Amino acid sequence: MVLVLASCSNPSSRVDREIGQAERLMRVSRDSALTVLETIDPSELKTDSLKAKYHFLKAYAHLALNRSMVGDSLITFAHGYYRGKGIEREVRSGVALAMYRFWTGDTPGSISMLDSLAALDAVPDSLMVDVLRTRVLLGAAEYQGTQIIPPAKRLYAMEKDVIRKMEAKYVLMAGYEYAEKTDSALLLLDELIAQARSLRWSEKEFIFMVERAQLLTEAGRDSESDRLISEIIGKAGDDNGGAPLLYFQYTMNALNRGDIGMAARHLAVTDSLGSGLRGGDDAYFRSYSNLLHAIIDFKQTGRIKLMHINGQNNRQSERFNRAKASQWESERGALREQNRVLALKAESGRKTVVILVIAIFAVLIMIAAAWIITRRRQRERENEERAEALQKMVDELKSAPSQPQAGLGTHEALRRAMLQQLGIIKMVAETPTEQNREMLRRISSIESDTDGALVNWTSVFELIDTLYSGFHTKLHTAWGETLTLKEEQIIALMVAGFSTKEISVITGQTASTIYVRKSSIRKKLGVPEKQDIVAFLREEGGG
């Protein structure tokens, strides 16, 4: 019964509790929240609300932990469910959907999604800043200029934290730079340098100074750029992390002035500084170095060397291949996750089948037990009825005169004669103690071990012939080959006026068996359904 109840229980409440726990953990430990979510079998999500919450929380955890979102395709369903049902869930699921599109290579679709979220009305600043941060960062990665200036200004106005505000101003500066509004970009960089200097953030000041040198080059102010580079190197030394980039800038400034020899010397220093770079840093460095070498060689010889073009192309191919490998690994991770979910679902299905089989067996056992109990009670009732009928017959025998009296009917005479043949019953009836009554019940039960009949049927048949004008002989002659001995006994007792219960006692059969045998007799003799069997036989035999 426990297994049956377990198989019928609804897992929705348990899953709802686990998702609620994950939602609470998202505020303090996103790793823990993700661990809880990964234990849930998505096949148990029976309602749209649970499905939406599960896939939203999972995608948002991946986003917050900067993990691959390639496998979060159902964030589309979650965002569709939350649209118009609460601004917080609509906006946050929208940001997750935008980043899913970014992870799957649809950056324009991601930016379009973020723009639509930024256009929503009545969105609190605490939600809108997430939208705008993501929007301007993606825009800067795509080298957008004019398009990211408005959201970057809006973000700068909303940010309250000092570092966040500086980051927003830096992205706004990049927007001006990509929009070729160099003066505005330089103005913002000067503000950033001054702010970093006042806060004694030397690392940020260094980054902003390098950025300013590059902007001066873009503005055609090469000499100013060189002076700033010299100032930076003078303070930080040639072994600073940005030295290769600074010498690249030296090289570009020399090329812009047409000083090819100086450009070649600066590039040689750059190559020396970049010789110790490895991995992604080396690929990034070589992508610049090969291009500048190709330009200098062309300026010096008037020819382009295939070596430099191949080197540039190979570096780009390496970067592309690494990015592709990363994407493939993300996709494989998503497939592994899907396989794990499918395996959990299959395991859950197997468990469900086992539980259902056990439940079916349990139900069958209960049905069988109920049938056995019902059958046993039915037999007990039949035994009680037969015992009562037999006791009634015994009581009639005790109250009847010992000798036949004048006017005694044929029915009463036959009953008396038959009861007289029940010697053991007569003996028990003469001493009606409780012990003898129990013996009477056992003798009359269909489960008794008695051998042989309780009456002498030869004498009974002779008595039937005597009292009823040879009825049995005529019956046996006409239907002896069709009827069984049991059926002839039943007909003889019916002629004598015995009830079905009394016939069951005398013949040692259940009442239900007597009814079945009566139906068989009716079919064999061709007795119409509503006609009495005895009356039919008398009409047929003329008795």
Side-chain angles (χ1 to χ4, degrees), residues 481-519:
E481 295 181 357
T482 303
L483 299 171
T484 65
L485 177 60
K486 289 286 187 182
E487 290 170 345
E488 288 187 14
Q489 292 171 359
I490 291 171
I491 294 173
L493 294 175
M494 289 172 66
V495 170
F498 284 88
S499 67
T500 299
K501 289 183 180 180
E502 291 172 340
I503 293 173
S504 72
V505 173
I506 296 169
T507 60
Q509 303 175 73
T510 64
S512 59
T513 301
I514 299 300
Y515 284 118
V516 172
R517 291 189 183 278
K518 283 184 177 183
S519 298

Side-chain angles (χ1 to χ4, degrees), residues 111-283:
I111 291 174
S112 177
M113 180 78 228
L114 292 166
D115 284 338
S116 66
L117 293 174
L120 291 175
D121 295 327
V123 178
D125 289 355
S126 58
L127 292 175
M128 186 56 71
V129 290
D130 286 339
V131 176
L132 295 174
R133 286 170 189 165
T134 309
R135 171 63 183 89
V136 297
L137 288 175
L138 288 183
E142 290 294 298
Y143 298 98
Q144 289 184 343
T146 306
Q147 299 96 318
I148 65 170
I149 292 174
K153 286 183 175 179
R154 189 177 173 191
L155 176 63
Y156 178 75
M158 286 184 180
E159 294 287 15
K160 305 300 180 185
D161 181 76
V162 174
I163 296 178
R164 288 286 193 182
K165 210 166 185 66
M166 289 181 70
E167 290 173 350
K169 183 180 286 190
Y170 184 83
V171 176
L172 178 59
M173 179 276 300
Y176 282 125
E177 179 183 358
Y178 300 148
E180 298 183 356
K181 297 181 179 181
T182 312
D183 291 340
S184 297
L186 283 170
L187 180 62
L188 289 177
L189 262 179
D190 289 340
E191 292 178 3
L192 288 169
I193 292 169
Q195 187 174 5
R197 190 173 292 155
S198 66
L199 294 172
R200 300 182 183 279
W201 289 346
S202 56
E203 184 176 349
K204 287 190 177 296
E205 182 185 355
F206 176 83
I207 293 172
F208 296 150
M209 293 282 282
V210 172
E211 187 75 31
R212 191 173 194 282
Q214 293 173 351
L215 272 177
L216 288 171
T217 299
E218 290 296 311
R221 296 155 64 176
D222 302 324
S223 298
E224 290 183 54
S225 177
D226 281 346
R227 285 195 296 273
L228 182 56
I229 293 170
S230 298
E231 180 184 343
I232 295 170
I233 293 175
K235 290 182 178 179
D238 283 344
D239 58 346
N240 69 82
L245 293 177
L246 290 170
Y247 274 91
F248 273 140
Q249 205 66 43
Y250 263 145
T251 304
M252 292 176 65
N253 289 337
L255 283 171
N256 288 332
R257 288 194 301 268
D259 191 347
I260 306 304
M262 181 62 72
R265 289 191 293 274
H266 283 314
L267 188 56
V269 175
T270 306
D271 288 339
S272 175
L273 292 171
S275 61
L277 298 176
R278 296 291 183 271
D281 291 337
D282 178 60

